[in-house]
Amino acid sequence: MSIPHPNEAEISTIQTQLHEFQVEHRDLDLVISHLIDNPPPDDLLIRRLKKRKLLLKDRILQLEAMLVPDIPA
């Protein structure tokens, strides 16, 4: 089952979301690194940030897949 290819307006929206998620993902990476390198780390906060980062990564991959046209086999 293939997902229909988005139109130009949808592509623009997806690209905007993708950029926002990528920026947030990068920022979370920096915050997590800072918290780990500068004790005392708040383990619960770090776990929550890492979980959010993984959710963002999954969403980024989904959005990127939506931008790639289906190639017939």
Side-chain angles (χ1 to χ4, degrees):
M1 180 185 291
S2 67
I3 300 171
H5 191 66
N7 63 36
E8 291 299 318
E10 292 169 331
I11 289 173
S12 177
T13 301
I14 291 169
Q15 288 173 330
T16 300
Q17 274 188 317
L18 181 59
H19 177 73
E20 289 171 2
F21 289 155
Q22 288 169 330
V23 168
E24 185 178 354
H25 185 269
R26 185 187 64 236
D27 291 347
L28 281 172
D29 196 37
L30 293 171
V31 169
I32 291 167
S33 294
H34 177 76
L35 289 172
I36 290 171
D37 293 341
N38 296 298
D42 181 344
D43 292 334
L44 180 60
L45 176 60
I46 292 171
R47 282 197 308 268
R48 287 180 179 165
L49 292 173
K50 285 183 177 182
K51 184 175 182 179
R52 174 67 181 158
K53 185 179 163 194
L54 285 173
L55 291 172
L56 284 170
K57 183 175 183 179
D58 288 343
R59 187 62 181 139
I60 288 167
L61 292 174
Q62 289 172 346
L63 292 173
E64 287 175 340
M66 291 173 71
L67 293 174
V68 177
D70 290 337
I71 300 173

